[in-house]
Amino acid sequence: MAENRPATRLEPKGAMGLDVEMDRAEHTLRRRLPRKLPKRNNDVYINMKTDFKAQLARCRKLLEGGGFNEICIHGLGLAINRAINVALQLQANSFGTLQIAANTSTVELVDDLEAEVDDEEPASRTRNNSAIHIKVYHSFSK
Amino acid sequence: MENFRKVKTCEEEGPLPFPGLPAGVVHMKVKEGSKIRNLMAFATARMEARATRQIVFSGCGRAVTKTVTCVEIMKRKLGGLHQLSKVQYRTLQEVWQKQGHAEQLTVDKYVPSICILLSKDSLDPGEPGYQPPEPRDRLWTLDGGLQDQRASLLPPQTEKRFWEPPGQERVNKKMKVQESPVDYRA
């Protein structure tokens, strides 16, 4: 299972939240969090754990009460779908004042394989996942 | 609703959201069960031909992620592709039938869909959803938003243009830059 490939690690800042309870197996696969992301006040990251309505309300609040002319909605992997949905919902409820511009990218993710048996070496693997970045902005601002 | 069964779903075929595309453009309709290797084998074979200038990938619902992945693979493989992404709702018509009855119920379902145009020739950079070919993961850097980076990265010149730039705008910008230091000295 574990290939002894040279560890291709990203910057150490990506390694966060690794204190999860281990289970008894040859290796434990731990997914690191995606590497450092832009977090301005008008960036919204969509995930699949938070309630959809809450995420939509948050975006709406930023655009209406927050005084932002544009927000950036990001979605990674499975959350791409939901990110698009949030953006389209915002646009549909804006009576034509909001515009959207979508961009796609690839994000490199790192998985750590931690040895549970003594003489196995820990390794890490990288894989790619798709992401979407949707800019939602008032059409008069551009 | 328990006694109803879905009889069929049909996807509404709309025109592509990219005006001015040539008629014979390669259109990859990505479905939920499509295999990426099948899609990519066909698409890369077509794109390697010199005559193919554009390709469109589209998918809706659960196929959206797969569509984006295909596009990302294609960009990495070929390089130098201009991208235009459009997201929209697509209507799915579902026909439900009650068991043992003839009556049918038609439901319109709106699912998010994505259409991505990849072009070897340059496209209009002002269009919402445009991405130049060069910076692949610059979108994720901390400083500067999406927009600031895009402004500094004009697409490189290519031999043929799918979109004609409006006249001498670019030349004028350059001239202004050259002129300004002269003004300061005087």
Side-chain angles (χ1 to χ4, degrees):
Chain A
M1 270 196 12
E3 299 170 54
N4 282 331
R5 285 203 308 204
T8 46
R9 282 171 195 278
L10 291 177
E11 51 199 76
K13 280 168 194 164
M16 299 154 79
L18 285 180
D19 44 335
V20 191
E21 194 67 33
M22 285 190 245
D23 60 352
R24 287 271 143 219
E26 225 176 305
H27 275 94
T28 321
L29 189 132
R30 266 191 205 144
R31 294 169 171 191
R32 283 196 210 164
L33 286 180
R35 63 173 189 180
K36 224 166 44 167
L37 310 165
K39 188 77 190 87
R40 292 160 292 168
N41 287 330
N42 57 346
D43 277 314
V44 179
Y45 286 88
I46 301 294
N47 62 15
M48 294 306 281
K49 289 184 180 170
T50 312
D51 181 49
F52 178 81
K53 269 190 177 168
Q55 290 173 331
L56 189 62
R58 190 161 144 224
C59 295
R60 200 168 282 160
K61 208 169 151 192
L62 282 176
L63 280 167
E64 285 166 8
F68 290 109
N69 268 333
E70 63 168 67
I71 60 169
C72 261
I73 298 174
H74 309 263
L76 178 67
L78 190 62
I80 288 178
N81 228 322
R82 191 178 265 197
I84 295 176
N85 222 335
V86 168
L88 288 172
Q89 284 291 326
L90 286 171
Q91 193 190 28
N93 293 324
S94 73
F95 306 105
T97 59
L98 286 178
Q99 282 217 33
I100 53 184
N103 276 207
T104 64
S105 74
T106 305
V107 179
E108 213 167 57
L109 298 175
V110 183
D111 292 340
D112 285 323
L113 291 162
E114 291 192 351
E116 296 286 308
V117 186
D118 301 339
D119 47 353
E120 292 275 357
E121 276 191 23
S124 68
R125 288 180 195 166
T126 58
R127 64 193 161 92
N128 290 321
N129 207 346
S130 310
I132 198 164
H133 318 272
I134 309 173
K135 193 173 71 164
V136 182
Y137 55 97
H138 285 290
S139 38
F140 53 75
S141 74
K142 225 194 153 184
Chain B
M1 210 60 199
E2 303 99 61
N3 297 327
F4 279 88
R5 276 182 54 197
K6 208 192 290 179
V7 185
K8 66 166 187 181
T9 47
C10 66
E11 210 172 290
E12 211 165 76
E13 288 285 331
L16 287 172
F18 310 111
L21 272 188
V25 69
V26 187
H27 183 189
M28 306 294 295
K29 291 173 190 160
V30 183
K31 298 282 159 66
E32 213 179 300
S34 311
K35 299 284 172 281
I36 288 184
R37 59 168 176 274
N38 296 344
L39 291 166
M40 292 318 289
F42 180 82
T44 40
R46 294 298 295 269
M47 276 305 264
E48 270 161 12
R50 221 158 218 290
T52 319
R53 306 307 295 176
Q54 285 112 21
I55 192 166
V56 176
F57 283 90
S58 71
C60 67
R62 270 186 274 184
V64 166
T65 315
K66 200 168 273 187
T67 312
V68 176
T69 305
C70 285
V71 169
E72 289 296 321
I73 293 172
M74 178 66 90
K75 282 198 289 182
R76 216 172 313 146
K77 257 186 186 169
L78 280 171
L81 291 174
H82 299 258
Q83 184 185 343
L84 190 58
S85 330
K86 294 278 176 198
V87 290
Q88 63 197 6
Y89 276 122
R90 185 174 280 179
T91 322
L92 280 186
Q93 271 193 339
E94 287 184 348
V95 180
W96 293 72
Q97 195 170 36
K98 202 170 185 180
Q99 274 172 336
H101 290 75
E103 56 184 300
Q104 286 186 334
L105 199 67
T106 313
V107 185
D108 275 353
K109 211 172 172 182
Y110 299 103
V111 289
S113 78
I114 194 164
C115 273
I116 301 177
L117 169 70
L118 286 176
S119 172
K120 291 177 186 169
D121 310 316
S122 58
L123 301 165
D124 179 3
E127 187 75 20
Y130 171 77
Q131 256 175 285
E134 268 315 304
R136 211 178 296 129
D137 30 6
R138 299 254 330 245
L139 292 173
W140 290 86
T141 49
L142 241 183
D143 39 59
L146 282 168
Q147 213 182 0
D148 312 335
Q149 287 159 16
R150 220 182 306 155
S152 63
L153 292 153
L154 284 167
Q157 296 279 343
T158 41
E159 70 272 28
K160 197 185 134 199
R161 287 185 169 276
F162 175 60
W163 164 82
E164 284 296 331
Q168 297 150 336
E169 232 180 62
R170 214 170 274 177
V171 183
N172 285 342
K173 263 184 203 164
K174 269 186 192 164
M175 279 171 70
K176 266 179 205 162
V177 176
Q178 283 168 353
E179 270 167 22
S180 51
V182 181
D183 287 341
Y184 282 115
R185 274 178 219 158

